[in-house]
Amino acid sequence: MLAEHKLKVFRELITQSSREELIWMNGFLAGLVAAESAGDTTVTGTANIPAASKIEKFTILFGTETGNSKKVATEFATQAKKNGFKPKLTGLDQYRLTDLEKEEYVFFVISTQGDGEPPLTAKKFYDHIHNEALKLDKMKYSVLALGDTSYPMFCKAGEDVDNQLTRLGAKAVIPIQKCDTEYATDAAAWFVQVMKLLNEGGSNSAATQPSVKKAKGKKNYTGTILTNINLNDRGSSKQTHHVEIEADEEVAYEPGDSLGLIPHNKKETVESILSLTGTDGDTEIEFRNERLSIRDALTRKINIIYLPERVVKQYAKTVQQDIPDTRIDLLDLLRIYPVKDAAQFEQVVSVLEPMAPRLYSISSSPEAHGNEIHLTVARDSFSINNELKFGLCSDYLCMLEQGLTVDFYIHKNNQFKLPAADKDVIMIGPGTGIAPFRSFIAERDAVGAEGRNWLFFGDQKFTTDFLYQTEIQNWVETGVLSRVNLAFSRDQQSKIYVQHRMLENADELWQWIDSGAHLYICGARNPMSSDVENTLLQILERQGGKSITEAIEYLDKMKEENRYLLDVY
């Protein structure tokens, strides 16, 4: 128990801190406790350390896609400065690669995207260390890798960087720390080790500290489909489903979060694979430490669509055939390069990878919709050799009938959250980009937020593609939505998009931004989000009276203040 005077200070600190700061403090303190057995864990002072031995200057480099790595790296740099260090903080997209061989102490914070790839902002650096004949004998480093254990290639980009730096002669002074989506505690524990190492003048004692106990896995839920309806009217070229799921227990989520789930492969595809290989679907196998029938594994657990090249290479080795480097469905691979028998197919199954989960922005509000989770899903369609095909997960979700159950988890998105209730909000979300903004508006309506709300929405046609039209109109009538601007691109000869509506309302848009409004963009990364950002820069130049350099700096400042947030895909 704290002494009364300490408790008073502690309470004051808590009440004056933001949610993000509280999360940081929680993780930081957990890291201190975890490192306690390794000796002195003090990182906030250096009274017992000779000044000459302390390493004050070091570099923190981050590679980020959604902003988490940048957020973590920035927090570390801030804490280090408060403790008397002089860190250099740089994004890998801005880092001068020729400086790499000169670095002595470098700490990397890097996330993993998609199929085990580095974020786009780190691609140039990633390629550089893999293609250049570098000598990094002077470098002492550690890697904090952010990832998601739901994906087969968990923290692969961080692992690749760690391994390649070692090959180039660099020395890992602290083992790589791999973090799941709830990364605060593990990240803070890693940072405690970094600070201890630097405080002790680069001693390797930190490298042998016990790692923090692994956080519990994600909470999995089961829900029942309550509603599954197509929001597009007859005559639309699109199919967008509103899916309502009732969970069997209370679900903890916030507006801006996503729902993650693993789709089921089509029954007919699985049966074709079993028939083609002569395999009894009831045969039990072990796949990734789970015992189940091979039919069940192929249906619910294994990726059989668009196999990556590394899996095709393993397949070729197993069946002892020459197969060109390619990405291909398992069924097509079996047809072209068949297995000898069912026994060989079981060997093939062992080299296949788990199916990766898909994420969908949640379009419901916990305050407005209780224990229901709503999704807005566009049924993805495309043509191959004149054959109409559908995206695996979007087709799976859109075809779920009322009463069926689905397993899911909540994927937190701390980089896409509502501001305080008194702040103004500008939301730009064409197509299914409307999903999180339906959640935002419903939440602010339910809690009585006094800040103004402005929505920009667009799609193809007003009569067939105005998603959530009735709800949006009701929010306008009740004053929840202060402004709405619509852009239906196919309703006139020249296409009109949301960025055109932004320019038409440039003066008022600038007034909102200049007075502190938070601006959000959700939807397709290219070209939508790029076009919207370029339009925003135009408005900052013209209405804000700024040069292009000043406009870019203003937007960067909005990002740093969490006033300009994107959820694009």
Side-chain angles (χ1 to χ4, degrees), residues 235-255:
S236 175
S237 63
K238 297 184 172 186
Q239 196 172 333
T240 310
H241 281 240
H242 173 75
V243 182
E244 297 183 358
I245 304 169
E246 183 179 43
D248 58 3
E249 58 183 299
E250 185 175 352
V251 180
Y253 76 95
E254 297 175 279

Side-chain angles (χ1 to χ4, degrees), residues 13-271:
L13 180 62
I14 291 174
T15 57
Q16 294 171 8
S17 299
S18 67
R19 180 178 182 277
E20 288 72 20
E21 289 170 333
L22 289 173
I23 291 173
W24 163 258
M25 286 187 280
N26 176 64
F28 191 75
L29 290 172
L32 286 173
V33 173
E36 188 179 27
S37 60
D40 179 27
T41 59
T42 302
V43 298
T44 55
T46 57
N48 298 323
I49 312 246
S53 69
K54 178 179 175 180
I55 297 167
E56 292 185 345
K57 294 183 179 181
F58 62 96
T59 300
I60 302 176
L61 299 176
F62 62 86
T64 190
E65 186 80 14
T66 63
N68 285 336
S69 294
K70 180 179 180 179
K71 182 173 183 287
V72 170
T74 302
E75 287 174 344
F76 288 167
T78 301
Q79 291 294 325
K81 288 177 183 177
K82 290 179 179 178
N83 289 312
F85 292 90
K86 300 174 182 177
K88 179 176 71 176
L89 175 68
T90 310
L92 286 170
D93 55 334
Q94 302 293 321
Y95 181 71
R96 189 166 57 191
L97 295 175
T98 52
D99 287 348
L100 205 57
E101 291 181 301
K102 306 172 189 176
E103 298 282 5
E104 185 174 4
Y105 283 91
V106 192
F107 300 96
F108 297 87
V109 184
I110 186 167
S111 61
T112 295
Q113 308 305 314
D115 197 21
E117 301 160 357
L120 289 175
T121 57
K123 188 68 166 62
K124 187 167 67 171
F125 163 79
Y126 185 87
D127 292 341
H128 181 73
I129 63 173
H130 280 84
N131 295 331
E132 297 291 332
L134 300 172
K135 291 185 178 179
L136 303 180
D137 298 355
K138 290 176 58 178
M139 182 185 290
K140 301 169 186 66
Y141 78 94
S142 183
V143 175
L144 178 72
L146 304 187
D148 186 337
T149 51
S150 300
Y151 289 82
M153 299 289 105
F154 172 61
C155 287
K156 183 68 164 55
E159 288 179 339
D160 288 348
V161 169
D162 184 42
N163 293 332
Q164 189 60 18
L165 291 176
T166 299
R167 291 191 191 101
L168 296 173
K171 181 181 180 182
V173 288
I174 297 172
I176 183 174
Q177 174 68 65
K178 294 187 284 188
C179 300
D180 201 357
T181 51
E182 298 295 324
Y183 54 78
T185 299
D186 286 346
W190 176 82
F191 184 58
V192 168
Q193 294 189 56
V194 171
M195 290 291 92
K196 180 171 170 55
L197 175 89
L198 297 173
N199 262 324
E200 295 177 349
S203 167
N204 277 342
S205 63
T208 58
Q209 290 183 20
S211 60
V212 180
K213 182 181 274 189
K214 185 168 176 58
K216 293 180 180 179
K218 298 179 183 64
K219 169 69 176 174
N220 291 311
Y221 301 93
T222 298
T224 303
I225 302 299
L226 295 178
T227 302
N228 191 340
I229 59 171
N230 182 9
L231 295 173
N232 300 99
D233 210 339
R234 285 176 295 180
S236 175
S237 63
K238 297 184 172 186
Q239 196 172 333
T240 310
H241 281 240
H242 173 75
V243 182
E244 297 183 358
I245 304 169
E246 183 179 43
D248 58 3
E249 58 183 299
E250 185 175 352
V251 180
Y253 76 95
E254 297 175 279
D257 289 341
S258 297
L259 178 143
L261 81 162
I262 295 177
H264 291 184
N265 290 310
K266 286 184 173 295
K267 180 181 178 180
E268 53 268 32
T269 303
V270 171
E271 293 305 322

Side-chain angles (χ1 to χ4, degrees), residues 303 307-316 333 351-353:
N303 176 40
L307 304 181
E309 289 183 9
R310 62 178 176 270
V311 173
V312 176
K313 287 180 180 178
Q314 288 291 320
Y315 180 97
L333 193 58
V351 303
L352 297 177
E353 294 179 348

Side-chain angles (χ1 to χ4, degrees), residues 460-525:
Q460 291 188 351
K461 295 184 177 182
F462 177 88
T463 56
T464 60
D465 306 311
F466 192 168
L467 309 182
Y468 301 114
Q469 178 180 356
T470 301
E471 288 184 342
I472 290 172
Q473 289 173 332
N474 287 339
W475 280 323
V476 171
E477 291 171 2
T478 58
V480 178
L481 273 174
S482 308
R483 294 205 57 167
V484 174
N485 288 100
L486 306 172
F488 294 99
S489 59
R490 307 301 197 272
D491 277 349
Q492 58 283 312
Q493 189 171 0
S494 59
K495 294 179 180 177
I496 296 177
Y497 298 109
V498 287
Q499 60 266 27
H500 298 122
R501 299 305 189 202
M502 291 171 64
L503 287 173
E504 291 172 1
N505 295 273
D507 287 338
E508 188 164 0
L509 199 55
W510 163 245
Q511 291 174 21
W512 278 50
I513 293 170
D514 190 41
S515 62
H518 291 239
L519 192 147
Y520 299 82
I521 301 173
C522 183
R525 182 186 302 276

